[in-house]
């Protein structure tokens, strides 16, 4: 019943920007920790950024200062603003919802981000 749909990925040059969106349905937005993960070919999936119900955020060190996670509760949408993109940011980016009460986790299908000259 919970569905997460990512959008906003694409091909950009180093130094460019992208804004990813994750539209959530079938859930109460404020009851879950929302996060963005990414997975590059041949590498493990890593947590990029997360935001809690009280608006607390955290980021992996490699993106801190460049990426910003935010949410719009009225639209049931979480965003990832990515600035000053680097080639090493190239990956499939996945939206994630983690429910503290049940421990259940849900994933979107992912959106491709490619940073290349």
């Amino acid at each position: 019943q919970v569905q997460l749909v990512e959008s906003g990925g694409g091909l950009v040059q180093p130094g460019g920007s992208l804004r990813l969106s994750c539209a959530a349905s079938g859930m109460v937005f404020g009851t879950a920790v929302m996060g963005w993960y990414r997975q590059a070919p041949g590498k493990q999936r890593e947590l990029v950024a997360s935001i809690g119900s009280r608006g607390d955020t955290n980021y992996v060190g490699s993106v801190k200062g460049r990426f910003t996670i935010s949410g719009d509760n009225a639209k049931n949408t979480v965003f990832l603003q990515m600035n000053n993109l680097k080639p090493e940011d190239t990956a499939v980016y996945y939206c994630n919802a983690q429910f503290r009460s049940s421990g259940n986790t849900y994933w979107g299908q992912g959106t491709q981000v490619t940073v290349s000259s």
Side-chain angles (χ1 to χ4, degrees):
Q1 290 181 324
V2 175
Q3 187 173 11
L4 307 174
V5 180
E6 303 97 332
S7 62
L11 173 64
V12 298
Q13 293 185 316
S17 298
L18 284 174
R19 183 183 181 232
L20 305 184
S21 298
C22 173
S25 61
M27 60 174 281
V28 178
F29 197 78
T31 61
V33 175
M34 304 298 299
W36 285 98
Y37 289 71
R38 67 185 180 188
Q39 187 166 23
K43 297 183 178 180
Q44 290 185 282
R45 186 173 298 186
E46 68 172 346
L47 175 64
V48 178
S50 66
I51 183 168
S53 60
R54 294 193 293 268
D56 51 301
T57 61
N58 65 80
Y59 303 87
V60 67
S62 60
V63 309
K64 198 168 186 177
R66 299 189 296 121
F67 291 10
T68 302
I69 187 171
S70 62
D72 187 335
N73 289 344
K75 297 181 179 180
N76 292 329
T77 303
V78 64
F79 305 96
L80 184 67
Q81 178 66 45
M82 305 184 294
N83 298 325
N84 192 24
L85 284 160
K86 303 176 180 180
E88 51 263 43
D89 295 319
T90 296
V92 177
Y93 284 71
Y94 298 91
C95 183
N96 170 271
Q98 181 87 40
F99 290 87
R100 297 180 65 180
S101 59
S102 65
N104 290 342
T105 300
Y106 299 89
W107 296 91
Q109 293 298 305
T111 184
Q112 177 71 49
V113 172
T114 302
V115 185
S116 179
S117 299

